[in-house]
Amino acid sequence: MTEVVVVTDYDVLAEVYEWLISDAKVAPAEFAASFDDVLSLLPANAHVLDCSCGTGQLAIGLAGRGIQVVATDASEAMVRRTAELSEEFGVSVRAVRASWEELPDHFEDGTFDMLFCVGNSLHHAAGATGRGAALESMSRLLRPGGRLVLTSRTWELVRARGSRLDIGDRLVRRNGRDAVVVYRWEIAPHWEEEHHIEIAIAQVDATGLVLVHSELLSCWPYRYEELEVELHRVGLRPEVSTFDLEAENYMVVASKV
């Protein structure tokens, strides 16, 4: 028997988000450890913002190291789950519902030593205008010399593959339950047009019931060279980049001028 839940934002997908996080990062401590190199750049008593926190694995991992962390997300459900995970691990994380554009309404300019925008989040900003506004907000919140840590899909590679269906080749086990993860890509003809990703998580419980959570997400891809220009425009100078046209994802570390 199959039950299908179709949603259009992260407020429902938040309940099954762990199945989208890699095995290597699903534990908060391991997620934080994946950024050891950039975390070594933090000053003592640093203030850090995770401004696309998802269900909070990174923020909780950072707080577990004694770092002062604030976690924000545009999804109320993501923020709630981050607060729950913080309580579960016994660490202090302030969790706030805020889109990127709303960040300056909640925090003073120059508040943070480091901002994280990870998990391939930036493509949800609506085109070049939305992306620029998001990056401007992030830049404002960094102190001079502070750093933005951003991870992204390699959209050059994604677009080259065209519209398609990607079905996971193995079961993913989380919280004692197995699921298959499916991505359906709708690639628009032109870069600047709205693209779509439908994500389906098909869970199988002990009774044989299959529960499918399916969500259609809007996204606006960008070339790496465009991202570099946009970072410079808001006063952020890239220091580190792992961009590779053949790699699925990359990281950029940019400092506030």
Side-chain angles (χ1 to χ4, degrees), residues 98 154 166 188 234 243:
T154 304
D166 288 338
V234 298
F243 176 72

Side-chain angles (χ1 to χ4, degrees), residues 59-71:
I60 275 67
L62 296 174
R65 296 182 172 206
I67 298 172
Q68 300 179 69
V69 184
V70 178

Side-chain angles (χ1 to χ4, degrees), residues 103-124:
L103 291 175
D105 298 333
H106 295 272
F107 309 104
E108 297 290 335
D109 290 0
T111 295
F112 298 101
D113 299 286
M114 187 170 285
L115 264 70
F116 285 88
C117 180
V118 299
N120 298 305
S121 300
L122 188 60
H123 64 245
H124 292 309

Side-chain angles (χ1 to χ4, degrees), residues 74-218:
S75 165
E76 187 67 47
M78 291 291 200
V79 170
R80 173 181 54 77
R81 292 217 55 210
T82 296
E84 291 171 352
L85 193 67
S86 173
E87 183 176 351
E88 178 184 336
F89 277 80
V91 297
S92 176
V93 172
R94 179 186 172 196
V96 178
R97 196 223 65 81
S99 67
W100 292 307
E101 293 84 353
E102 294 169 335
L103 291 175
D105 298 333
H106 295 272
F107 309 104
E108 297 290 335
D109 290 0
T111 295
F112 298 101
D113 299 286
M114 187 170 285
L115 264 70
F116 285 88
C117 180
V118 299
N120 298 305
S121 300
L122 188 60
H123 64 245
H124 292 309
T129 300
R131 198 164 54 248
L135 292 171
E136 173 66 27
S137 292
M138 296 179 210
S139 180
R140 282 182 56 179
L141 268 56
L142 281 171
R143 66 166 178 80
R147 292 175 172 88
L148 169 66
V149 181
L150 184 149
T151 65
S152 175
R153 298 185 189 278
T154 304
W155 277 100
E156 292 86 345
L157 191 60
V158 174
R159 279 187 50 83
R161 292 170 175 165
S163 298
R164 64 194 183 280
L165 188 68
D166 288 338
I167 302 174
D169 59 2
R170 66 180 183 88
L171 290 173
V172 179
R173 190 165 185 81
R174 298 284 183 268
N175 308 319
R177 298 186 69 179
D178 293 320
V180 173
V181 179
V182 179
Y183 287 81
R184 183 175 64 85
W185 302 83
E186 295 180 9
I187 304 301
H190 304 291
W191 274 90
E192 66 275 11
E193 295 177 322
E194 181 177 354
H195 293 45
H196 293 98
I197 309 171
E198 184 176 9
I199 302 173
I201 299 172
Q203 296 175 311
V204 184
D205 69 13
T207 68
L209 175 68
V210 178
L211 177 62
V212 181
H213 296 259
S214 179
E215 175 173 13
L216 185 65
L217 302 171
S218 295

